[in-house]
Amino acid sequence: MKRIVVLGCGTGGTLVANRLRQRFDRHAARITVVDQDDVHVYQPGLLFVPFGLALAEDIVRPRRRQLHAGIDVAISAIDRVDVDGNVVHLSNGESLDYDVLVVATGAVLVPEETEGLLGTGWLQNVFTFYNLEGAQALGDRLAQFEGGRLVVNVVDMPIKCPVAPLEFCFLADWYFRERGIRDQVDITYATPLDGAFTKPAASHALAGLLEEKGIELVTEFNAGEYDEAARTITSYDGRVVPFDVAVVIPLHGGAPYVGRSEHLGDELNFVPTDNRTLQSQVRPNIFVIGDAANVPASKAGSVTHFEGETVVDNIERFLDGADLDASYDGHANCFIETGFHKALLIDFNYDTEPLPGHFPGPLGVPLMKESRLNHLGKLMFQWFYWHVLLPGRDVPGLGSAMPHAGKKQGART
Ligand SMILES: Cc1cc2nc3c(=O)[nH]c(=O)nc-3n(C[C@H](O)[C@H](O)[C@H](O)COP(=O)(O)OP(=O)(O)OC[C@H]3O[C@@H](n4cnc5c(N)ncnc54)[C@H](O)[C@@H]3O)c2cc1C
């Protein structure tokens, strides 16, 4: 019997373990999933918490309940992996031997890497909505906010869901309009990118939306220091952005145990991974899914979902001694909330920029265009996440690869 150990029981770990259980019967493989706690947060829901549009209990479920029968669970922090000995050492003193390892431990926030960020203003006037504690504290602060400068600042890339900070800006504009105080709030988006987003075509459209909503865009802003007494953020090139409330997306890195595991990670603790097969470049029996990989795709749940099929196929091929399938194309798909019950959708992969048209085909929902249908799609996604994506169900007509039908190739946006 083969021993498959999955590190992390978030989006990628859960869906890959469930898909593996469907693929291999219990005599063929023992599947063990490791996580440090039993609290699965639906992270896209964190965006809505500061605006009172979602509560913690709406977006949190036990991890174990998302797993199919016949999957073993170990609740413990991972201490380190011995990639030569094929063994995972847990912080509780136990160890797990494996034939195949799947790394699905995502990305962590490292706010301590930015000078002054974790000072006395942290969770008073400086917040992040990228975890539950921060999103809830920010909600309390926004409810008391009567006017002033609200700055949304991405410290550096890569981050999870690169559109989420923009969505936060759009929702903040809507939220303050609903409260009748929008003319008393200056909203600024300070990003290290040279535009609103990583992909030029979408960047142009999103910068237009920021402008339309009166949100100032500050580009190539690499935050070097937070001064919470002065309430300023200073970039490495000396520019200063003042704030009354700052909403920060801190630096991200891979899980710290990756750094403690000799040969497993790069300098940011992400795992070097083949872009197309999702086999690690560390050892052939290690595969990677989701935010933990260093592939040039977005760190997004949609990417993690689309990677699942390739990872499971390739684990089976690896165990059979067959050639791996290089079919993952970098497919990413993001609904972008723009406020006022509207959203727009972008769909792209390693080779194709977001294009206008419709998804997943000519009769689908509009791409690169605000609509109420897309907003409903964003809300529906939470149901899809718990009931289709995590259980590892296939959706007829919606495969992993980016669909070309419905897209207006060569169209200008
Ligand atoms: C605010 C926000 C909004 C987002 N919105 C969207 C969106 O609209 N659409 C979208 O597609 N994506 C979105 N995302 C991104 C999406 O949630 C992630 O990309 C996705 O969850 C990645 O899955 P993963 O399995 O790689 O990591 P995770 O789901 O984060 O799982 C990693 C798991 O590893 C565990 N772990 C880590 N280290 C250890 C350790 N040492 N020991 C034991 N366990 C460990 C963690 O506890 C965790 O359960 C958003 C993210 C955020 C923060």
Side-chain angles (χ1 to χ4, degrees):
M1 184 193 297
K2 298 297 180 191
R3 297 155 306 176
I4 304 176
V5 172
V6 180
L7 300 182
C9 191
T11 310
T14 305
L15 75 89
V16 94
N18 284 335
R19 282 183 175 267
L20 285 166
R21 190 66 293 163
Q22 289 159 357
R23 184 71 62 95
F24 296 101
D25 76 30
R26 293 182 198 204
H27 303 293
R30 177 175 182 174
I31 300 165
T32 306
V33 185
V34 183
D35 206 296
Q36 56 205 350
D37 59 45
D38 193 24
V39 183
H40 190 134
V41 178
Y42 171 65
Q43 296 178 52
L46 292 171
L47 171 70
F48 298 104
V49 171
F51 303 106
L53 299 169
L55 298 172
E57 56 260 38
D58 301 332
I59 60 170
V60 173
R61 295 191 180 186
R63 294 189 194 283
R64 287 175 197 268
R65 260 201 256 152
Q66 316 314 317
L67 293 168
H68 294 332
I71 296 173
D72 294 340
V73 181
I75 299 288
S76 168
I78 300 149
D79 180 47
R80 69 195 157 84
V81 180
D82 173 356
V83 300
D84 294 320
N86 296 328
V87 55
V88 179
H89 296 280
L90 304 181
S91 301
N92 66 7
E94 290 174 13
S95 56
L96 295 165
D97 295 316
Y98 62 83
D99 298 296
V100 169
L101 184 72
V102 183
V103 179
T105 37
V108 297
L109 308 180
V110 276
E112 60 276 15
E113 289 290 320
T114 303
E115 200 178 328
L117 183 53
L118 290 182
T120 49
W122 183 244
L123 300 186
Q124 302 296 320
N125 297 309
V126 182
F127 300 86
T128 185
F129 66 98
Y130 265 51
N131 58 33
L132 196 51
E133 184 199 16
Q136 287 177 305
L138 176 57
D140 295 340
R141 183 69 182 86
L142 288 186
Q144 295 160 5
F145 194 63
E146 294 301 333
R149 290 164 303 201
L150 178 82
V151 175
V152 179
N153 172 224
V154 176
V155 171
D156 206 351
M157 304 301 283
I159 59 167
K160 299 193 238 193
C161 194
V163 295
L166 284 160
E167 295 180 280
F168 186 92
C169 292
F170 298 143
L171 287 180
D173 166 68
W174 180 40
Y175 172 83
F176 292 123
R177 280 183 205 279
E178 292 278 300
R179 285 185 48 197
I181 58 166
R182 178 64 180 94
D183 56 347
Q184 292 159 52
V185 182
D186 290 327
I187 306 177
T188 301
Y189 181 50
T191 166
L193 298 174
D194 60 3
F197 188 56
T198 48
K199 304 275 167 186
S203 182
H204 181 69
L206 292 165
L209 268 180
L210 288 171
E211 194 178 345
E212 216 174 88
K213 293 172 190 290
I215 298 166
E216 189 190 354
L217 174 62
V218 178
T219 56
E220 296 180 339
F221 187 86
N222 293 292
E225 186 185 355
Y226 271 70
D227 181 336
E228 288 160 9
R231 293 200 186 158
T232 53
I233 315 169
T234 305
S235 64
Y236 283 110
D237 61 6
R239 283 177 291 157
V240 176
V241 172
F243 65 85
D244 293 300
V245 168
V247 178
V248 186
I249 293 76
L251 201 70
H252 284 38
Y257 81 87
V258 174
R260 293 194 296 270
S261 308
E262 208 180 349
H263 307 305
L264 185 57
D266 63 16
E267 66 286 355
L268 292 176
N269 293 340
F270 293 117
V271 179
T273 304
D274 184 279
N275 294 352
R276 305 264 172 191
T277 64
L278 303 172
Q279 184 183 44
S280 79
Q281 290 161 342
V282 177
R283 294 291 180 273
N285 63 339
I286 301 180
F287 292 82
V288 193
I289 186 166
D291 297 348
N294 77 340
V295 300
S298 291
K299 297 207 177 296
S302 62
V303 167
T304 309
H305 177 206
F306 297 134
E307 288 173 342
E309 213 172 285
T310 304
V311 170
V312 171
D313 282 349
N314 280 339
I315 289 173
E316 187 174 30
R317 283 167 186 256
F318 171 78
L319 289 172
D320 289 345
D323 290 342
L324 300 192
D325 171 23
S327 65
Y328 179 60
D329 64 354
H331 187 196
N333 178 293
C334 313
F335 284 105
I336 306 174
E337 272 297 293
T338 54
F340 303 92
H341 310 289
K342 289 187 182 166
L344 58 80
L345 177 65
I346 55 175
D347 191 65
F348 54 98
N349 68 12
Y350 290 139
D351 307 314
T352 308
E353 287 272 316
L355 291 169
H358 290 84
F359 175 85
L363 297 178
V365 293
L367 286 165
M368 302 278 289
K369 199 170 151 195
E370 282 185 280
S371 78
R372 279 178 182 260
L373 198 57
N374 286 333
H375 167 68
L376 291 176
K378 175 103 183 172
L379 297 186
M380 273 291 294
F381 190 76
Q382 184 166 351
W383 181 92
F384 181 83
Y385 183 82
W386 298 114
H387 298 284
V388 178
L389 186 151
L390 292 184
R393 298 206 168 91
D394 289 322
V395 186
L398 189 62
S400 294
M402 189 197 78
H404 289 273
K407 290 203 167 73
K408 294 183 184 158
Q409 303 285 344
R412 287 182 66 86
T413 53

